[in-house]
Amino acid sequence: MLWVVRLQRILQLVGIVAGVLTATSAAQATTTTTTFTVQMTITGSCTINSASTLNFGSQGVLTANVDQSSTIQVQCTNTTPYNIGLDAGTGSGATVTSRKMTSGGSTINYSLYSDSGRTSNWGNTVGTDTVASTGTGASQSFTVYGRVPPQTTPAPATYSDTITVTVTY
């Protein structure tokens, strides 16, 4: 029975030593902290997200106006002012007031407008015939209104032109 008492005392001593060691380790633990800055600089910027095809469809004789529209989507940083311009296209002899779709040496005249009444020509001179807006940070849609006026009808073919969209900000 004596050996049980001694074993109990040894276990008590081991427990006390373990407690002291744990308390000593916890008391010796230290920490340190610091901070760092997180930042980003947003600059005024614009991107053209899309420009859909302006398709006047299939026509016979061009004796009346043929009207269609397409959409340009522009995204600029919030509060950034910008202008959208449309050039004369690639048709030989075209201007921003009389653009030309071509097929070989034949052409079809057409015009592009910034309003549904087709009274405001859409050109490429900032402050004169471009469309001005201010960025919201989200994509913004702009409708291009096209018109093929009555004219002498050229030979049957597929006629096309390529317009360059320029965003000035």
Side-chain angles (χ1 to χ4, degrees):
M1 218 36 184
L2 184 59
W3 65 272
V4 172
V5 173
R6 284 190 179 173
L7 181 59
Q8 285 177 342
R9 282 194 179 168
I10 291 173
L11 289 176
Q12 284 176 345
L13 286 174
V14 168
I16 292 171
V17 169
V20 168
L21 289 176
T22 301
T24 303
S25 296
Q28 291 178 353
T30 59
T31 61
T32 185
T33 63
T34 190
T35 62
F36 64 94
T37 302
V38 178
Q39 71 180 38
M40 174 188 282
T41 300
I42 300 293
T43 60
S45 181
C46 292
T47 187
I48 301 168
N49 291 335
S50 66
S52 65
T53 299
L54 176 56
N55 187 345
F56 288 105
S58 297
Q59 304 297 323
V61 180
L62 300 174
T63 58
N65 288 334
V66 180
D67 293 341
Q68 288 296 330
S69 63
S70 67
T71 304
I72 298 169
Q73 291 201 346
V74 176
Q75 185 172 0
C76 294
T77 50
N78 195 21
T79 72
T80 300
Y82 63 95
N83 283 273
I84 305 169
L86 305 179
D87 77 350
T90 57
S92 179
T95 66
V96 293
T97 56
S98 182
R99 293 171 168 96
K100 297 181 184 297
M101 290 181 275
T102 60
S103 177
S106 299
T107 63
I108 297 174
N109 295 325
Y110 72 101
S111 297
L112 300 177
Y113 302 93
S114 59
D115 66 313
S116 61
R118 291 172 172 79
T119 58
S120 296
N121 183 65
W122 197 335
N124 209 25
T125 305
V126 173
T128 301
D129 57 5
T130 58
V131 172
S133 191
T134 301
T136 63
S139 187
Q140 295 171 284
S141 293
F142 298 88
T143 302
V144 178
Y145 299 93
R147 173 171 283 167
V148 173
Q151 58 194 283
T152 301
T153 306
T158 299
Y159 292 78
S160 66
D161 191 15
T162 302
I163 300 295
T164 298
V165 180
T166 302
V167 174
T168 305
Y169 59 96

